[in-house]
Every structure is written in C-alpha cells, then in structure tokens.
Amino acid sequence: MTQATDRVTEARHRMVDEQIAARGVRDPLVLEAMRRVPREVFLREGLEEFAYQDTPLPIESDQTISQPFIVAFMTESLELHGGERVLEIGTGSGYAAAVLAEIAGEVYTVERYPNLADGARKRLLRLGYDNVQVLHGDGTRGWPEHAPFDAIIVAAGGPEISESLRQQLAVGGRLVIPVGPTQRVQTLVRVRKVAEDRFEEEELLEVRFVPLVGAEGWAEGAELPARQRRPQEPARRALPDLVATAAEPFETLEGGGMAGLLERIGDARVVLLGEATHGTSEFYRTRARITRELIERKGFTIVAAEADWPDAARIDHYVRDLEHAAPDWVAFTRFPTWMWRNHEFRELVDWMREWNSNRDREHRAGFYGLDL
Ligand code: SAH
C-alpha cells in the first residue's frame, strides 16, 4: 500500500467507527462492507477529499450519494446474512450497490437517469463487483424478471409504498423505503412480507431523500428544486456564490452601508456577530461599528463575548460602573490575550464608557463574558 492509500483506508475505518458504529449500527457484515467499499471512487471529480465526511454529496443530474451512515443503517435494516438476492431502486453513483454486493449474493439495481446508470455500471465493473446488474428504467415497477427478492432497498423518497415492490418481495423478505407526504421529509419504513398477502410495517427513522419519480412514485416533472426539498443537505451551489447571495456588503470600513443590515436585524433581541478569522483588524472594526449601531439605534444593553468572566467583569465595571481610571485599565491578561487585548476592541470599550457616562444606570450597555 502506498502512503496515500493508507491514509484513505484509515479515513474509511475512522468513518465506520465514528459515524456508523458509534451511532448504533452493529451488524459485523455491514461494518465490514463499509470498511471495504472505496466511497471516493463513487464521487464526482474534485469531491474525493470529502469521501469520508458525515454527509451526502452531490452527484450528476441533481441527485445525491447518500450519507455513509444512512447507507449502513438501511443495509443493516435489510437483515442480510449473505447470499441473498437484493433489488435496489436508485443506483445513483453505485456506492450503496457496492456495499450491498459485499454481502448479498446478487444485486439488481435500477436507475432512472441513463448517465448515472452508465457511470455506476462502469465503476462497479472496474472495482470487480461482478454480482451487480444495473438497469436504466423506472424502478417503482421493480424488476419483475428477477423477482422474488429477499430484500428491496429504495434510495429515493416516494409518496407511498409501491405495490409492485411489495409483490416482488419473497415471503419473509424485507423492503426498506422512505415514504412521506411531501418531498421534503420522509419516514424510513420497513415492510416485512410475512405471508403471500400479509405485510408488517415498522417506522425506523426520519430521513431526507431525493424524490422517487416514476409510475408508482412522484409524477415526472413534479420534483421540487433541490434547494427546496433538502434544506439541511449541502447546497449544490458553490460556497462563494452562497456567501455572495446571503451577505450584506460594506463598501468601506467606516462609512455608511449599515441600513440594509439594520433592517434585516429588525426587532431581533439577540444578534450574533461572528468573525471569519480571529484577530483581523477589519473584522473587529466592523463588528465594533455594528455593535455601536445596535446600542445607539436599537437600544441593545448587553454586549456578550466569548471571553473570560473575571476579565469581562472588569471591563463591565469600567464601562458601566465607570470604575477605574483609564490608565489602570487592565484586562485580558489571562486568556486569550491577543483576541481581545487589542486597539480595535479598546476603542469600542472606550466608546461604551463614553456612551454610558451620559445615561442613567438602567439605560447603560454592559459587557459580559460567556466563557471560562
Ligand atoms: N444509492 C445511491 C443514492 C442515489 S440517490 C448511491 O449510493 O449513490 C437516489 C437515486 O434514485 C437518484 O439517482 C435518482 O435518479 C434515482 N431515482 C429516482 N426515482 C427513480 C425511479 N423511479 N427509478 C429508478 N431510480 C430512481
């Protein structure tokens, strides 16, 4: 093994321990399969470095490769022991099919996008999974030629449980499928075929999947745009683009440009001011300006910082009780000195003291520590 493959293997093993076993997946066959399948091979170029992060990722055609934990959880809930015949609906990248193929005897997988089906087929072949067959088509109808199946797994969310899939289960077989009344959220349901015409259902987990589109799924063309259906999943748009859309630009450090931000803040009673980097003068100055505006125009009376309590209390005595003369002002000598003990912050503190000195006690703005 080269050093690079060593590192990837290590990351994969860590993913299994920290994201999968730690969340309660116990089946040794599933854990071993997850340790073996190289998820990076199933990702879009450029995303390989995120292969073992705890998240779904975008693939072609506005679809996603599932979060590793979800693949493991669903695979475990199929209760495979080895050698079974399994049907998967929603091949996507082919990753989950590979995980299934590590355990099952034969895997049949159906994908509605031809480019995804082709890509998955090639990857699976290249990795030597000769027990997987990929079909391009509408999986809500199942794959009757190869039925009955011991297990069926559906990797997309439909409005209800497809009748064809129920029928194609062997007696004793398990179907695991996300179902929900909208495309935003689904419940993962396990259907067990206990007799030819008897099914038992249990709800396993709340999940968010891309829509299952087909004859026994959502109607073609009725899919919600990706951003609307999965608010908590990684956005498909590039990060700089998202930041640009959400941001309120300041043309200069000192002058104007505050109106839009203040309007968005509205009558919020708590405003969180973060900084992209600690210790950058421009961020500190801008944060101080925003703080002054909130105090002056919106009547805020509490400035709370991730800072040492005793240190912060000293500053509060200085700005609110008007104690200590400026020359003996010492604070932030303990932790973390550079983060608060700087000119930009000192200016804000002096401004607060000045502001408070013209007001009676209950209208003054205080300074509080939230840390240590
Ligand atoms: N198992 C995949 C996850 C794929 S996401 C992986 O490991 O990468 C779900 C996939 O289901 C998408 O690729 C989507 O195109 C597909 N899909 C949605 N409706 C389908 C249908 N009716 N038949 C087959 N595939 C469908």
Side-chain angles (χ1 to χ4, degrees):
M1 258 193 212
T2 66
Q3 267 184 348
T5 55
D6 259 357
R7 258 204 314 279
V8 175
T9 309
E10 198 189 304
R12 184 155 62 236
H13 283 229
R14 200 168 341 110
M15 171 223 22
V16 172
D17 294 344
E18 293 174 2
Q19 300 169 28
I20 297 173
R23 292 200 183 110
V25 173
R26 292 279 175 269
D27 186 337
L29 291 176
V30 175
L31 297 178
E32 189 48 31
M34 297 297 296
R35 280 191 199 103
R36 292 171 60 94
V37 181
R39 191 168 182 251
E40 66 278 7
V41 173
F42 295 86
L43 295 178
R44 216 149 80 178
E45 215 184 302
L47 290 183
E48 296 87 346
E49 67 175 292
F50 307 112
Y52 297 108
Q53 295 198 0
D54 192 14
T55 177
L57 288 166
I59 58 176
E60 279 80 21
S61 304
D62 207 13
Q63 304 302 310
T64 51
I65 177 173
S66 304
Q67 181 191 13
F69 166 72
I70 287 289
V71 174
F73 181 88
M74 289 177 81
T75 306
E76 183 177 55
S77 42
L78 295 176
E79 300 174 348
L80 303 176
H81 300 291
E84 290 87 350
R85 179 189 291 246
V86 177
L87 173 67
E88 181 197 32
I89 309 307
T91 317
S93 66
Y95 174 67
V99 171
L100 294 167
E102 289 281 345
I103 306 173
E106 302 153 53
V107 177
Y108 298 88
T109 178
V110 187
E111 169 57 52
R112 87 181 250 260
Y113 284 105
N115 56 322
L116 290 177
D118 279 352
R121 193 179 290 118
K122 287 194 189 112
R123 283 184 200 111
L124 290 162
L125 263 183
R126 199 168 68 209
L127 291 170
Y129 289 104
D130 53 11
N131 57 340
V132 185
Q133 287 193 47
V134 183
L135 175 73
H136 164 229
D138 175 8
T140 62
R141 298 279 201 212
W143 194 340
E145 293 82 353
H146 295 288
F149 299 97
D150 303 302
I152 303 180
I153 178 172
V154 183
E160 59 204 6
I161 301 168
S162 140
E163 207 37 58
S164 302
L165 295 182
R166 278 182 200 271
Q167 281 166 16
Q168 289 172 35
L169 270 184
V171 172
R174 288 81 53 200
L175 158 65
V176 172
I177 179 170
V179 240
T182 75
Q183 290 177 20
R184 284 173 217 278
V185 64
Q186 304 92 26
T187 304
L188 195 62
V189 177
R190 174 165 52 200
V191 179
R192 202 182 289 276
K193 188 163 183 170
V194 289
E196 203 42 68
D197 54 358
R198 257 192 54 230
F199 298 89
E200 281 173 8
E201 282 178 24
E202 27 174 346
E203 297 186 350
L204 303 178
L205 192 69
E206 186 160 294
V207 288
R208 286 175 164 79
F209 275 90
V210 297
L212 180 71
V213 179
E216 295 176 53
W218 296 103
E220 182 114 25
E223 300 109 292
L224 282 180
R227 267 165 56 84
Q228 283 179 34
R229 45 175 211 255
R230 295 187 303 278
Q232 102 305 3
E233 284 193 9
R236 250 134 275 272
R237 288 165 65 196
L239 185 61
D241 186 28
L242 285 172
V243 171
T245 312
E248 203 63 59
F250 294 100
E251 299 303 333
T252 63
L253 279 177
E254 301 306 338
M258 201 57 83
L261 182 66
L262 289 176
E263 195 184 317
R264 275 170 70 172
I265 288 171
D267 57 5
R269 298 173 59 208
V270 178
V271 176
L272 302 177
L273 302 176
E275 54 206 27
T277 57
H278 288 324
T280 303
S281 173
E282 288 82 354
F283 290 146
Y284 282 29
R285 282 154 68 193
T286 306
R287 185 177 57 190
R289 256 182 81 206
I290 298 170
T291 307
R292 292 197 309 261
E293 295 277 335
L294 291 175
I295 293 172
E296 277 181 343
R297 292 179 204 280
K298 302 242 181 208
F300 277 74
T301 52
I302 292 176
V303 178
E306 186 189 2
D308 190 56
W309 282 24
D311 269 344
R314 271 200 85 103
I315 294 184
D316 193 46
H317 294 319
Y318 178 69
V319 301
R320 207 156 55 104
D321 304 330
L322 310 175
E323 281 177 10
H324 311 299
D328 12 293
W329 192 80
V330 280
F332 300 120
T333 47
R334 244 160 58 100
F335 161 87
T337 52
W338 54 270
M339 205 158 119
W340 298 112
R341 200 175 167 80
N342 52 59
H343 293 288
E344 290 77 1
F345 186 66
R346 176 66 195 247
E347 265 172 39
L348 175 66
V349 167
D350 282 332
W351 179 88
M352 283 176 74
R353 183 178 164 107
E354 178 65 28
W355 169 265
N356 285 340
S357 62
N358 299 317
R359 284 174 173 75
D360 38 302
R361 225 169 180 299
E362 72 264 32
H363 294 114
R364 291 179 188 170
F367 186 82
Y368 303 84
L370 288 178
D371 209 349
L372 299 181

